[in-house]
Amino acid sequence: QVQVVESGGGLVQAGGSLRLSCAASGSISSINVMGWFRQAPGKQRELVAIITSGGNTNYADSLKGRFTISRDNAKNTVYLQMNSLKPEDTAVYYCNADIKDSTRTHLRNYWGQGTQVTVSL
């Protein structure tokens, strides 16, 4: 069974940095797009960044220049480096990935459980 699990969230002061990790595990045949989403209290879940298997990236416009997404295909892991954090970045951050497992011939979409990021003044 395939799982994706986030780690690295926590409490930081404004201006600080965090690096989130998301590792996919299980009987994986291949992984296509991986990405990060976030959801703040009372708001809809929104796209943070995505990265293709070839390394092409897309970011939410408001986050360009502060956040960087990367991946290590050998480790089935995607990262989100968050710099110059602001209180408005406070949210639960979710990992998302399109994965083909060993029992199927097509991709399925998976969500992680989320990791809390809190940015204080």
Side-chain angles (χ1 to χ4, degrees):
Q1 296 78 28
V2 173
Q3 293 184 342
V4 292
V5 180
E6 305 96 332
S7 61
L11 173 65
V12 298
Q13 290 188 328
S17 298
L18 282 174
R19 190 176 81 150
L20 306 182
S21 299
C22 171
S25 63
S27 299
I28 296 170
S29 294
S30 62
I31 303 177
N32 195 0
V33 176
M34 304 183 80
W36 291 93
F37 295 73
R38 69 183 185 183
Q39 188 166 22
K43 300 187 69 175
Q44 296 294 115
R45 189 171 299 187
E46 64 177 350
L47 173 69
V48 174
I50 58 172
I51 183 167
T52 70
S53 60
N56 296 119
T57 61
N58 290 99
Y59 297 88
D61 288 341
S62 63
L63 303 178
K64 290 180 179 178
R66 295 195 299 120
F67 288 15
T68 303
I69 189 170
S70 61
R71 65 191 287 172
D72 185 336
N73 290 330
K75 296 181 178 180
N76 293 328
T77 299
V78 62
Y79 305 94
L80 183 69
Q81 179 67 45
M82 304 185 294
N83 299 324
S84 301
L85 284 163
K86 304 175 181 179
E88 49 262 48
D89 295 320
T90 295
V92 177
Y93 284 71
Y94 296 92
C95 179
N96 182 263
D98 291 328
I99 301 171
K100 183 187 297 183
D101 66 61
S102 62
T103 70
R104 299 179 182 271
T105 60
H106 56 83
L107 296 167
R108 296 181 68 190
N109 187 254
Y110 294 83
W111 288 96
Q113 81 286 353
T115 185
Q116 177 71 47
V117 172
T118 302
V119 184
S120 64
L121 291 171

